[in-house]
């Protein structure tokens, strides 16, 4: 299966193999670059000599083994996965981001120089590199000044495995938001903070402050392992939940970038004391028994090219799907014995949400069962999966670079076969699991050690205003740690029972709903991404629009005389198709496709185990009632006992829903008879956008405008 080619040239030479993989070796090393097929089938061996990312990996009967070139060092890794095509001698195509990574000296340059100049923004290469450090360059579209160009600012994202945040770090983030950000904290769907509105001149101060207060942003964005999800419930008497937190830390350490650029950029090379790494993690990272590592590289797992795209991991316990386990590149499920001792992990691979409008070759995907590994092998198995994606994931077109496309192209059996070469063992059979359920962890609950925890609903994850002040007062008074949930909420941990009443009063005084049963069920399960005005990918509103959308949905349900507690469903909204709020798992998903316009997705399930499908390509926000009321009415009338909206939709199909909608007669709203008049579509779009920004209904805005016109004429 392998082909060898001696590489020579004046400075460096590049060759392309039949498989679309290019390898470069410096001429003075005269390294051999042996290239294996990226399309191995089940049962086909990787034994022999194969090359991955331009580095020679020598193996034998036991599969891949220690990597080495003829000089004992790797050649510069520049390989890419390209689409299947006829053999060619031309260099394989690489995306521009791959070139930027290669030339960056492990994420340092030109970022260091760009941060030091007086420009309000950084260059395009640095825009890509700063993601790895935990930041996105953004432009506040609502603060642009005519003739002055974009209003540049930066978003900083933290990284805390399992959502764990100690008291000191939370208060640090709270202070930074007020002094250098926009005065708010954003809780994300991956259990992290986002701090919006940071100016470039303040970036080093903000980042260094986080680092010096035992926080991190390294790898919160970029083509590396992102923040690892785990259930946020701080159960002290359930060992399986403790294992999810323990291994989220271990795997985060295993896959953290190692080359030191993070400290060079933000602390000018100064190292900050941190907790000692588990020796088990260090041993697993350094092990190269099966060709997973770049020998002698500052980045033994990632190399100069890092991963083809972002890599997302979640860990949970059987049955608890508070982390949307099937939406991740890699999902791990803790398996314990009857006494609660850890035995091993079930493994899922290939989940992911991102897609592109009107490009059917891009799609959301659910992760598939890969197998089971005992606890002592989990770090090696994770590393093997990451190495497989690193070496075979596409690097020519970033739309197709996620692991889900590799799994889809190969099939799960072939993916398992190739990964086992890096793992050095066969995966065991997947252990049977109970049915998944969604857990929100809201309200007061027993922690299991005599203390309580409080799950606090934070609508769409935005902590601001009086709620922000109240949370800070509670943490100042009681010195509590917190955890962030994967549903954008906050858990206050280690609360003594005597503190319950005063904490409740402090939060309720700020308008917080503390009792979970007092929350609207639509709010409990809904999520939205930030979208406008800061996200550069957004094409419409999400976070600012969803509260009003939920109110309108509740209004429809009230007119249909549907139960508030029993007739609920999962609603999610994003301002673009990239899927940060995981809308493709919702029973009713809104995916932005233009100004005040959304695709409608139906068919997810309450426990997040089924993908929704596109029901309607475009819906203007003013048409919400006309579009959604027939669906809910038909569900109300035709569903089976306890049949959720998503389950009903999947049973009857879209054609049936459309037929019903075509003949549906809307329920008349109560109140005095209304007079109708015509508003031009562009005016209506402007009013709708103003409604979202102002928090007023369309009726209020129209009434105010008409009244003002009458007053002016009088």
């Amino acid at each position: 299966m392998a082909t060898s080619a001696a590489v020579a040239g004046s400075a460096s030479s590049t060759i392309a193999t039949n498989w679309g993989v290019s390898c470069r070796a410096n001429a003075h090393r005269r390294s051999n670059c042996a290239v294996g097929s990226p399309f191995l089938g089940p049962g086909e061996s990787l034994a022999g000599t194969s090359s991955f990312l331009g580095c020679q990996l020598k193996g034998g009967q036991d599969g891949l083994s220690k990597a080495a070139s003829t000089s004992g060092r790797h050649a510069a890794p520049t390989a890419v996965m390209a689409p299947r095509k006829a053999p060619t001698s031309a260099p394989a195509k690489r995306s521009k981001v791959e070139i930027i990574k290669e030339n960056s000296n492990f994420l340092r340059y030109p970022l260091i120089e760009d941060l030091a100049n007086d420009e309000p923004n950084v260059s395009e290469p640095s825009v890509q590199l700063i993601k790895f450090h935990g930041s996105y360059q953004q432009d506040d579209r609502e603060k642009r000044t005519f003739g002055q160009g974009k209003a540049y600012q930066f978003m900083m994202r933290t990284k805390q495995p399992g959502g764990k945040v100690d008291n000191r770090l939370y208060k640090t983030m709270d202070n930074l938001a007020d002094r250098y950000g926009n005065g708010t904290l954003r809780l994300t769907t991956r259990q992290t903070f986002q701090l919006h509105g940071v100016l470039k001149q303040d970036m080093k101060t903000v980042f260094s402050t986080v680092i010096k207060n035992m926080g991190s942003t390294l790898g919160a964005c970029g083509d590396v392992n992102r923040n690892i999800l785990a259930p946020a419930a701080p159960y002290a008497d359930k060992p399986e939940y403790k294992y999810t937190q323990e291994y989220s830390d271990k795997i985060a350490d295993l896959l953290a970038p190692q080359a030191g650029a993070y400290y060079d950029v933000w602390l000018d090379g100064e190292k900050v004391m941190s907790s000692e790494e588990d020796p088990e993690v260090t041993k697993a990272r350094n092990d190269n028994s099966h060709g997973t590592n770049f020998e002698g590289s500052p980045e033994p797992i990632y190399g100069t090219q890092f991963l083809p795209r972002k890599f997302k991991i979640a860990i949970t316990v059987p049955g608890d799907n508070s982390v949307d386990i099937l939406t991740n590149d890699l999902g791990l499920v803790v398996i314990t014995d009857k006494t609660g001792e850890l035995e091993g992990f079930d493994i899922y691979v290939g989940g992911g949400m991102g897609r592109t409008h009107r490009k059917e070759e891009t799609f959301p995907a659910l992760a598939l069962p890969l197998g089971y590994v005992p606890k002592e092998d989990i770090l090696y198995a994770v590393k093997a999966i990451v190495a497989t994606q690193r070496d075979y994931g596409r690097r020519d077109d970033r739309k197709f670079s996620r692991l889900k496309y590799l799994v889809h192209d190969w099939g799960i059996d072939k993916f398992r076969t190739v990964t086992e070469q890096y793992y050095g063992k066969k995966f065991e059979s997947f252990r049977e699991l109970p049915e998944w359920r969604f857990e929100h962890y809201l309200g007061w609950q027993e922690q299991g050690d005599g203390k309580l925890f409080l799950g606090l609903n934070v609508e769409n994850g935005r902590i601001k205003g009086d709620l922000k002040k109240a949370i800070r007062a509670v943490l100042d008074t009681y010195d509590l740690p917190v955890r962030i949930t994967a549903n954008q909420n906050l858990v206050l941990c280690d609360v003594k029972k005597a503190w319950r009443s005063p904490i409740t009063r402090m939060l309720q005084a700020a308008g917080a709903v503390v009792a979970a049963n007092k929350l609207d069920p639509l709010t409990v399960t809904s999520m939205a991404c930030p979208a406008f005005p800061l996200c550069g990918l957004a094409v419409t509103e999400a976070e600012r629009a969803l509260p009003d959308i939920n109110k309108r949905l509740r209004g429809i349900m009230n007119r249909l005389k549907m139960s508030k507690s029993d007739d609920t469903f999962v609603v999610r909204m994003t301002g673009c198709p990239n899927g940060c709020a995981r809308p493709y798992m919702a029973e009713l998903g809104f995916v932005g496709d233009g100004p005040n316009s959304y695709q409608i997705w139906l068919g997810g399930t309450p426990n997040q185990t089924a993908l929704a499908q596109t029901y309607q390509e475009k819906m203007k926000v003013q048409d919400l009632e006309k579009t959604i009321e027939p669906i809910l009415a038909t569900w109300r009338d035709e569903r089976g006992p306890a049949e959720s909206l998503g389950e009903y939709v999947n049973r009857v199909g879209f054609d049936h829903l459309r037929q019903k909608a075509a003949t549906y007669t809307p329920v008349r709203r109560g109140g005095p008879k209304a007079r109708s008049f015509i508003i031009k579509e562009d005016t209506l779009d402007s009013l709708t956008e103003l409604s979202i920004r102002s928090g007023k209904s369309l009726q209020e805005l129209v009434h105010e405008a008409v009244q003002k016109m009458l007053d002016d004429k009088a």
Side-chain angles (χ1 to χ4, degrees):
M1 296 293 295
T3 304
S4 295
V7 180
S10 56
S12 66
S13 300
T14 302
I15 60 98
T17 75
N18 293 353
W19 313 105
V21 180
S22 69
C23 305
R24 185 174 69 185
N26 292 331
H28 69 273
R29 294 179 185 157
R30 302 192 65 82
S31 301
N32 289 331
C33 187
V35 184
S37 167
F39 302 110
L40 290 174
E44 295 178 323
S45 176
L46 280 171
T49 306
S50 299
S51 174
F52 302 90
L53 289 180
C55 302
Q56 190 181 49
L57 307 176
K58 294 183 178 179
Q61 294 300 316
D62 295 328
L64 298 178
S65 61
K66 188 172 183 179
S69 68
T70 54
S71 64
R73 297 179 63 189
H74 283 316
T78 61
V80 303
M81 269 289 290
R84 298 180 184 185
K85 56 186 177 182
T88 176
S89 59
K93 178 185 174 183
R94 289 193 292 163
S95 73
K96 65 178 183 180
V97 177
E98 292 300 311
I99 308 299
I100 290 169
K101 288 187 287 187
E102 180 184 0
N103 295 331
S104 71
N105 189 11
F106 297 98
L107 311 179
R108 290 175 172 85
Y109 302 107
L111 181 57
I112 290 176
E113 293 95 330
D114 281 353
L115 288 171
N117 66 38
D118 294 330
E119 295 297 321
N121 61 307
V122 296
S123 65
E124 177 55 29
S126 291
V127 167
Q128 301 303 324
L129 296 178
I130 202 169
K131 295 176 184 179
F132 292 80
H133 295 262
S135 183
Y136 282 85
Q137 179 171 283
Q138 297 183 329
D139 160 38
D140 190 335
R141 294 181 232 190
E142 293 178 351
K143 291 184 178 179
R144 289 179 182 174
T145 304
F146 182 76
Q148 298 298 312
K150 296 181 177 180
Y152 287 110
Q153 56 183 259
F154 292 80
M155 177 269 283
M156 183 189 73
R157 182 184 295 158
T158 61
K159 193 173 184 181
Q160 48 263 145
K164 298 182 294 294
V165 184
D166 66 23
N167 185 273
R168 172 183 171 186
L169 180 59
Y170 184 97
K171 290 191 286 190
T172 297
M173 294 300 301
D174 187 74
N175 291 339
L176 290 172
D178 289 341
R179 184 168 182 181
Y180 298 105
N182 65 2
T184 73
L185 283 174
R186 184 59 152 73
L187 310 180
T188 77
T189 58
R190 294 206 68 80
Q191 298 182 278
T192 67
F193 289 114
Q194 285 185 177
L195 184 63
H196 293 273
V198 181
L199 300 180
K200 195 185 88 170
Q201 69 222 33
D202 298 324
M203 289 283 281
K204 289 192 76 166
T205 299
V206 170
F207 274 70
S208 63
T209 301
V210 170
I211 296 167
K212 291 175 181 178
N213 284 277
M214 305 305 289
S216 179
T217 66
L218 177 61
C221 322
D223 300 341
V224 290
N225 171 53
R226 300 289 187 89
N227 197 54
I228 298 178
L229 302 185
Y235 291 128
D237 59 344
K238 297 181 180 181
E240 64 272 28
Y241 281 86
K242 291 184 177 181
Y243 293 134
T244 67
Q245 291 291 337
E246 176 186 346
Y247 278 86
S248 69
D249 289 335
K250 287 183 177 181
I251 295 171
D253 288 345
L254 174 73
L255 299 178
Q258 299 293 305
Y262 188 60
Y263 297 102
D264 289 345
V265 171
W266 305 111
L267 297 176
D268 298 325
E270 175 190 353
K271 292 294 177 72
V272 175
M273 287 185 61
S274 59
S275 57
E276 185 125 356
E277 183 172 270
D278 190 316
E280 179 186 2
V281 172
T282 307
K283 179 182 177 183
R285 183 190 300 113
N286 294 335
D287 179 78
N288 199 27
S289 301
H290 303 285
T292 53
N293 286 23
F294 295 99
E295 288 286 351
S297 171
E299 290 291 351
I301 296 176
Y302 292 133
T304 62
Q305 301 306 116
F306 294 84
L307 298 180
R309 205 65 166 76
K310 68 182 77 169
F311 195 88
K312 296 182 176 181
I313 299 175
I315 308 176
T316 191
V317 305
D320 184 337
N321 201 17
S322 59
V323 296
D324 261 342
I325 187 77
L326 300 180
T327 66
N328 290 270
D329 296 270
L330 172 58
L332 304 177
V333 185
V334 169
I335 304 297
T336 58
D337 62 19
K338 292 181 180 179
T339 68
E341 286 296 314
L342 179 63
E343 290 186 329
F345 297 82
D346 272 344
I347 300 178
Y348 291 96
V349 293
M353 291 285 95
R355 51 177 284 278
T356 303
H357 282 317
R358 285 163 282 283
K359 288 188 180 293
E360 296 304 315
E361 63 272 26
T362 66
F363 49 82
L366 296 183
L368 302 174
L370 181 70
Y372 168 88
V373 298
K375 63 182 180 182
E376 59 269 18
D377 291 339
I378 187 59
L379 298 181
Y380 301 90
V382 167
K383 195 170 146 187
I385 292 165
V386 169
T388 303
Q389 162 66 353
R390 177 197 68 198
D391 294 345
Y392 290 108
R394 283 179 60 171
R395 293 177 182 264
D396 62 317
D397 189 336
R398 290 177 65 80
K399 290 193 299 294
F400 304 103
S401 294
R402 290 289 296 276
L403 179 65
K404 64 182 176 181
Y405 294 110
L406 183 62
V407 173
H408 178 265
D409 185 41
W410 281 3
I412 192 65
D413 292 334
K414 179 176 174 181
F415 182 86
R416 183 183 297 111
T417 297
V418 174
T419 303
E420 285 172 347
Q421 305 299 312
Y422 291 100
Y423 178 35
K425 298 180 180 181
K426 293 285 187 182
F427 289 104
E428 298 179 28
S429 297
F430 197 82
R431 301 292 174 88
E432 186 176 351
L433 296 173
E435 184 177 356
W436 293 108
R437 64 188 182 278
F438 170 70
E439 302 283 2
H440 56 65
Y441 297 119
L442 295 176
W444 285 107
Q445 300 190 39
E446 293 283 345
Q447 195 166 280
D449 57 357
K451 295 181 180 179
L452 305 173
F453 69 86
L454 172 62
L456 187 62
N457 179 72
V458 180
E459 192 166 39
N460 296 322
R462 184 70 65 178
I463 301 178
K464 60 183 179 179
D466 290 340
L467 178 61
K468 181 173 178 291
K469 295 175 184 176
I471 293 172
R472 176 60 183 266
V474 168
L475 299 190
D476 280 341
T477 303
Y478 299 102
D479 198 30
L480 304 176
V482 303
R483 293 187 184 182
I484 302 169
T485 79
N487 223 51
Q488 303 175 315
N489 295 318
L490 195 69
V491 176
L492 308 184
C493 308
D494 297 343
V495 180
K496 293 181 180 180
K497 291 184 177 181
W499 299 345
R500 174 173 175 164
S501 292
I503 289 175
T504 298
R505 288 194 296 270
M506 293 170 73
L507 294 171
Q508 286 179 336
V513 179
V514 174
N517 61 2
K518 300 296 184 182
L519 291 163
D520 189 319
L522 289 177
T523 301
V524 169
T525 57
S526 68
M527 292 197 298
C529 68
F532 279 176
L534 297 176
C535 179
L537 300 175
V539 294
T540 192
E541 297 281 357
E543 177 188 328
R544 298 189 299 191
L546 186 56
D548 185 61
I549 293 294
N550 279 342
K551 290 177 184 176
R552 292 168 66 184
L553 290 172
R554 178 57 63 198
I556 295 170
M557 298 173 75
N558 289 341
R559 290 194 297 278
L560 294 174
K561 298 186 178 352
M562 299 178 74
S563 165
K564 190 170 185 178
S565 58
D566 297 332
D567 301 325
T568 191
F569 45 88
V570 178
V571 181
R572 293 178 178 178
M573 175 179 276
T574 57
C576 79
N578 286 285
C580 293
R582 304 189 283 273
Y584 310 115
M585 304 300 289
E587 294 179 271
L588 173 57
F590 297 90
V591 179
D593 77 334
N596 301 311
S597 180
Y598 299 87
Q599 282 186 336
I600 301 301
W601 287 66
L602 298 175
T605 52
N607 63 353
Q608 283 79 63
T609 57
L611 280 173
Q613 302 295 325
T614 310
Y615 173 75
Q616 187 166 315
E617 285 292 341
K618 282 182 177 291
M619 183 205 76
K620 284 292 187 180
V621 72
Q622 61 264 27
D623 294 330
L624 176 74
E625 286 79 6
K626 182 174 68 175
T627 303
I628 304 302
E629 185 177 313
I631 298 169
L632 298 183
T634 306
W635 170 48
R636 177 199 63 185
D637 296 340
E638 298 182 352
R639 66 181 174 181
E643 187 174 36
S644 70
L645 175 60
E647 291 165 340
Y648 167 76
V649 167
N650 291 328
R651 176 171 62 83
V652 303
F654 287 173
D655 288 343
H656 177 75
L657 291 177
R658 292 180 180 123
Q659 289 170 7
K660 288 289 186 178
T663 59
Y664 179 73
T665 302
V667 175
R668 288 189 61 180
R669 303 187 188 191
K673 183 176 179 179
R675 297 180 181 274
S676 62
F677 55 91
I678 297 173
I679 297 178
K680 291 181 180 180
E681 186 172 351
D682 57 346
T683 303
L684 186 57
D685 286 346
S686 297
L687 280 170
T688 303
E689 191 169 340
L690 180 59
S691 171
I692 292 168
R693 290 203 306 269
S694 66
K696 296 181 179 179
S697 68
L698 282 171
Q699 290 88 342
E700 288 177 299
L701 291 173
V702 171
H703 174 77
E704 289 175 0
V706 172
Q707 189 62 52
K708 184 177 186 303
M709 179 187 70
L710 293 174
D711 292 343
D712 290 343
K713 287 190 174 182

PDB file of all heavy atoms in Angstrom, residues 70-83:
ATOM      1  N   THR A  70      15.358   9.579   8.259  1.00  0.00           N
ATOM      2  CA  THR A  70      16.710   9.032   8.176  1.00  0.00           C
ATOM      3  C   THR A  70      17.670   9.787   9.069  1.00  0.00           C
ATOM      4  O   THR A  70      18.694   9.271   9.468  1.00  0.00           O
ATOM      5  CB  THR A  70      17.207   9.091   6.723  1.00  0.00           C
ATOM      6  OG1 THR A  70      17.071  10.437   6.254  1.00  0.00           O
ATOM      7  CG2 THR A  70      16.397   8.162   5.847  1.00  0.00           C
ATOM      8  N   SER A  71      17.321  11.020   9.403  1.00  0.00           N
ATOM      9  CA  SER A  71      18.195  11.788  10.288  1.00  0.00           C
ATOM     10  C   SER A  71      17.754  11.704  11.737  1.00  0.00           C
ATOM     11  O   SER A  71      18.340  12.334  12.589  1.00  0.00           O
ATOM     12  CB  SER A  71      18.205  13.257   9.847  1.00  0.00           C
ATOM     13  OG  SER A  71      16.913  13.804   9.996  1.00  0.00           O
ATOM     14  N   GLY A  72      16.668  10.940  11.990  1.00  0.00           N
ATOM     15  CA  GLY A  72      16.173  10.811  13.351  1.00  0.00           C
ATOM     16  C   GLY A  72      15.188  11.898  13.731  1.00  0.00           C
ATOM     17  O   GLY A  72      14.717  11.950  14.841  1.00  0.00           O
ATOM     18  N   ARG A  73      14.872  12.781  12.766  1.00  0.00           N
ATOM     19  CA  ARG A  73      13.904  13.843  13.049  1.00  0.00           C
ATOM     20  C   ARG A  73      12.864  13.860  11.952  1.00  0.00           C
ATOM     21  O   ARG A  73      13.076  13.373  10.850  1.00  0.00           O
ATOM     22  CB  ARG A  73      14.614  15.196  13.107  1.00  0.00           C
ATOM     23  CG  ARG A  73      15.641  15.292  14.219  1.00  0.00           C
ATOM     24  CD  ARG A  73      16.323  16.637  14.193  1.00  0.00           C
ATOM     25  NE  ARG A  73      15.356  17.702  14.430  1.00  0.00           N
ATOM     26  CZ  ARG A  73      15.656  18.994  14.289  1.00  0.00           C
ATOM     27  NH1 ARG A  73      16.855  19.360  13.927  1.00  0.00           N
ATOM     28  NH2 ARG A  73      14.742  19.911  14.524  1.00  0.00           N
ATOM     29  N   HIS A  74      11.721  14.494  12.246  1.00  0.00           N
ATOM     30  CA  HIS A  74      10.666  14.604  11.253  1.00  0.00           C
ATOM     31  C   HIS A  74      11.019  15.653  10.211  1.00  0.00           C
ATOM     32  O   HIS A  74      11.631  16.662  10.491  1.00  0.00           O
ATOM     33  CB  HIS A  74       9.348  15.041  11.895  1.00  0.00           C
ATOM     34  CG  HIS A  74       8.666  13.929  12.617  1.00  0.00           C
ATOM     35  ND1 HIS A  74       8.554  12.676  12.100  1.00  0.00           N
ATOM     36  CD2 HIS A  74       8.038  13.914  13.821  1.00  0.00           C
ATOM     37  CE1 HIS A  74       7.882  11.919  12.955  1.00  0.00           C
ATOM     38  NE2 HIS A  74       7.567  12.652  14.012  1.00  0.00           N
ATOM     39  N   ALA A  75      10.524  15.421   8.999  1.00  0.00           N
ATOM     40  CA  ALA A  75      10.494  16.488   8.013  1.00  0.00           C
ATOM     41  C   ALA A  75       9.359  17.437   8.374  1.00  0.00           C
ATOM     42  O   ALA A  75       8.522  17.124   9.193  1.00  0.00           O
ATOM     43  CB  ALA A  75      10.260  15.901   6.623  1.00  0.00           C
ATOM     44  N   ALA A  76       9.373  18.617   7.754  1.00  0.00           N
ATOM     45  CA  ALA A  76       8.303  19.584   8.043  1.00  0.00           C
ATOM     46  C   ALA A  76       6.967  19.019   7.608  1.00  0.00           C
ATOM     47  O   ALA A  76       6.801  18.650   6.457  1.00  0.00           O
ATOM     48  CB  ALA A  76       8.587  20.886   7.292  1.00  0.00           C
ATOM     49  N   PRO A  77       6.001  18.909   8.488  1.00  0.00           N
ATOM     50  CA  PRO A  77       4.722  18.316   8.124  1.00  0.00           C
ATOM     51  C   PRO A  77       3.862  19.279   7.328  1.00  0.00           C
ATOM     52  O   PRO A  77       3.526  20.358   7.788  1.00  0.00           O
ATOM     53  CB  PRO A  77       4.080  18.003   9.479  1.00  0.00           C
ATOM     54  CG  PRO A  77       4.699  18.960  10.421  1.00  0.00           C
ATOM     55  CD  PRO A  77       6.069  19.236   9.908  1.00  0.00           C
ATOM     56  N   THR A  78       3.520  18.900   6.114  1.00  0.00           N
ATOM     57  CA  THR A  78       2.693  19.755   5.267  1.00  0.00           C
ATOM     58  C   THR A  78       1.628  18.956   4.541  1.00  0.00           C
ATOM     59  O   THR A  78       1.068  19.413   3.569  1.00  0.00           O
ATOM     60  CB  THR A  78       3.553  20.473   4.210  1.00  0.00           C
ATOM     61  OG1 THR A  78       4.175  19.492   3.381  1.00  0.00           O
ATOM     62  CG2 THR A  78       4.613  21.332   4.867  1.00  0.00           C
ATOM     63  N   ALA A  79       1.348  17.749   4.968  1.00  0.00           N
ATOM     64  CA  ALA A  79       0.422  16.903   4.226  1.00  0.00           C
ATOM     65  C   ALA A  79      -1.008  17.358   4.395  1.00  0.00           C
ATOM     66  O   ALA A  79      -1.376  17.965   5.374  1.00  0.00           O
ATOM     67  CB  ALA A  79       0.560  15.467   4.699  1.00  0.00           C
ATOM     68  N   VAL A  80      -1.800  17.045   3.394  1.00  0.00           N
ATOM     69  CA  VAL A  80      -3.226  17.345   3.454  1.00  0.00           C
ATOM     70  C   VAL A  80      -4.007  16.160   2.914  1.00  0.00           C
ATOM     71  O   VAL A  80      -3.507  15.384   2.127  1.00  0.00           O
ATOM     72  CB  VAL A  80      -3.597  18.588   2.616  1.00  0.00           C
ATOM     73  CG1 VAL A  80      -2.814  19.784   3.056  1.00  0.00           C
ATOM     74  CG2 VAL A  80      -3.374  18.342   1.141  1.00  0.00           C
ATOM     75  N   MET A  81      -5.254  16.065   3.354  1.00  0.00           N
ATOM     76  CA  MET A  81      -6.183  15.164   2.708  1.00  0.00           C
ATOM     77  C   MET A  81      -6.894  15.963   1.635  1.00  0.00           C
ATOM     78  O   MET A  81      -7.361  17.062   1.873  1.00  0.00           O
ATOM     79  CB  MET A  81      -7.220  14.646   3.710  1.00  0.00           C
ATOM     80  CG  MET A  81      -6.793  13.365   4.382  1.00  0.00           C
ATOM     81  SD  MET A  81      -6.834  11.982   3.260  1.00  0.00           S
ATOM     82  CE  MET A  81      -8.590  11.808   3.036  1.00  0.00           C
ATOM     83  N   ALA A  82      -6.963  15.416   0.447  1.00  0.00           N
ATOM     84  CA  ALA A  82      -7.654  16.071  -0.650  1.00  0.00           C
ATOM     85  C   ALA A  82      -8.747  15.151  -1.173  1.00  0.00           C
ATOM     86  O   ALA A  82      -8.765  13.963  -0.865  1.00  0.00           O
ATOM     87  CB  ALA A  82      -6.662  16.403  -1.766  1.00  0.00           C
ATOM     88  N   PRO A  83      -9.679  15.672  -1.983  1.00  0.00           N
ATOM     89  CA  PRO A  83     -10.732  14.811  -2.519  1.00  0.00           C
ATOM     90  C   PRO A  83     -10.155  13.706  -3.379  1.00  0.00           C
ATOM     91  O   PRO A  83      -9.057  13.811  -3.921  1.00  0.00           O
ATOM     92  CB  PRO A  83     -11.568  15.780  -3.359  1.00  0.00           C
ATOM     93  CG  PRO A  83     -11.215  17.141  -2.863  1.00  0.00           C
ATOM     94  CD  PRO A  83      -9.807  17.046  -2.404  1.00  0.00           C
TER      95      PRO A  83
END
